[in-house]
Amino acid sequence: MKLKYQIIIDEIKSKILSGDYRVGEQIPTESILQEKYQVSRHTVRKAILELANDGYLRSEKGSGTYVSNLYQSKTSGKSKGKTIGVITTYISDYIFPSIIRGIEGRLNVEDYSLLLASTNNDVEQEKKALEMMLSFGVDGLIVEPTKSNVYNPNIAYYLSFKEQDVPFIMVNAYYEELEVPYFCLDDVQSSYLATNELIAKGHTKIGLIAKMDDLQGKFRMKGYIKALGEAKLRFQAEHVFSFTTETKLDLNINLKAFLNEHIEAMTAIVCYNDEVALEVVNVCRQLNISIPEKLSIIGQDNSYIAKNANIKLTTLTHPQEQMGHDAADWIIKKIQGKKELQNENYYQPQLIEGETVKDLKGEAEGRFL
């Protein structure tokens, strides 16, 4: 449990870093803070003293306490080199080690340091990561957004970076409510190509598994719907299984229920990514559903887990390390004052054939030979 003075410190610091309290602005008086937090004057003064020592506040005798930005010079003096902050949803899972490796490789060439944080796709953890980056005084920031398809309560922190002229770029997704540079896979095209591959192989009853709290899931659903529409195939809502960061914990159980109910009405599924596709493979084995004879599966992202799986998954490419390298290169050039940089980049996916898609057309043609 946090000490009372630490709660005051954290909340005032958050207001300063998010821009609620601006540099030079007077914060509430000691008596107001006492009343708000229901603490003694001694506790309030202890919190203010620590914030002043850290460079967030300055007190003027007989006048009050004001917001200071000395904390920025305190942290920037730690190193002569530049430090780039990197915030990703995960660090050691899925495609993220490759993205980070690409960032690190490019930064190392310029002798830039990397300050790394992860959010576990949780906005409260993202808030802490952003506060850490602002407190440290990073020279630039590369961010993979948290829950990019829902309202983000941390927008004020990103606006603080803008106000301080600290360049930042987003990878994999972006916040639609912000004007921000981003480098992303063309997720619409990825799912469009996946669905088209199944259609080309004679599948007409195609399901979708999508993660809907991330922008990638929204766009991958869009690609799926686009391909169905062009092929004059009916979109069937009951064949779409959606999940979020929180419900992912029950993915195995929920997929069993979904497949048990709809397996006879589908011959194929487009999966949100390789991780989900391999979970579908796992569930199919548990339910004795043969792949691809009974159900064809396509993943997306060409991740290391797909490459190392005991089944060769049909999937789509993702730039991963190249994306990380390019984002770091953009930040470096921005800091160096380069003009006319590319602020949006969509990498184009390519299909990688595996053994998880059945060719229904070829089978039908074979029967008529």
Side-chain angles (χ1 to χ4, degrees), residues 194-237:
T195 310
N196 263 347
E197 170 69 4
L198 292 168
I199 293 169
K201 293 284 172 64
H203 294 269
T204 58
K205 298 172 183 177
I206 304 167
L208 174 74
I209 301 174
K211 187 171 184 289
M212 294 311 294
D213 54 350
D214 288 325
L215 205 58
Q216 297 98 309
K218 172 182 168 180
F219 288 156
R220 290 180 180 189
M221 179 180 278
K222 187 176 180 180
Y224 163 81
I225 293 170
K226 179 185 175 185
L228 291 182
E230 288 182 3
K232 302 291 191 292
L233 296 175
R234 188 164 67 91
F235 171 81
Q236 294 179 270

Side-chain angles (χ1 to χ4, degrees), residues 294-362:
K294 181 69 173 174
L295 186 69
S296 292
I297 297 167
I298 292 191
Q300 296 181 73
D301 294 339
N302 191 30
S303 62
Y304 79 92
I305 61 171
K307 294 171 185 174
N308 294 312
N310 54 14
I311 187 169
K312 190 180 178 186
L313 191 67
T314 300
T315 187
L316 281 296
T317 59
H318 186 292
Q320 298 177 31
E321 194 164 335
Q322 185 66 47
M323 178 187 284
H325 174 279
D326 293 347
D329 187 64
W330 186 95
I331 282 285
I332 290 167
K333 286 176 179 174
K334 193 73 174 176
I335 290 171
Q336 291 172 345
K338 300 285 172 63
K339 306 293 184 184
E340 297 179 9
L341 293 175
Q342 183 179 11
N343 288 334
E344 296 176 10
N345 186 26
Y346 284 108
Y347 300 88
Q348 292 305 306
Q350 293 182 326
L351 182 80
I352 298 176
E353 290 191 18
E355 57 188 21
T356 56
V357 173
K358 185 177 182 180
D359 187 351
L360 297 181
K361 270 190 177 175

Side-chain angles (χ1 to χ4, degrees), residues 280-298:
V280 174
V281 170
N282 184 37
V283 169
C284 284
R285 284 171 178 159
Q286 292 169 6
L287 298 176
N288 293 315
I289 298 170
S290 59
I291 300 169
E293 289 74 23
K294 181 69 173 174
L295 186 69
S296 292
I297 297 167
I298 292 191

Side-chain angles (χ1 to χ4, degrees), residues 40 47 53 68 70 80 136 141 147 151 198 203 214 242 248 253 268 319 323 364:
S40 67
N53 287 338
S68 170
L70 279 176
K80 289 182 181 178
F136 188 88
L141 187 66
K147 292 190 176 178
Y151 166 70
L198 292 168
H203 294 269
D214 288 325
S242 66
K248 184 184 175 187
I253 295 168
M323 178 187 284

Side-chain angles (χ1 to χ4, degrees), residues 98-104 106 142 171 319-329 347:
S98 295
I99 294 172
I100 294 166
R101 187 163 57 248
I103 293 170
E104 193 171 30
R106 181 65 186 95
I142 300 169
V171 295
Q320 298 177 31
E321 194 164 335
Q322 185 66 47
M323 178 187 284
H325 174 279
D326 293 347
D329 187 64
Y347 300 88

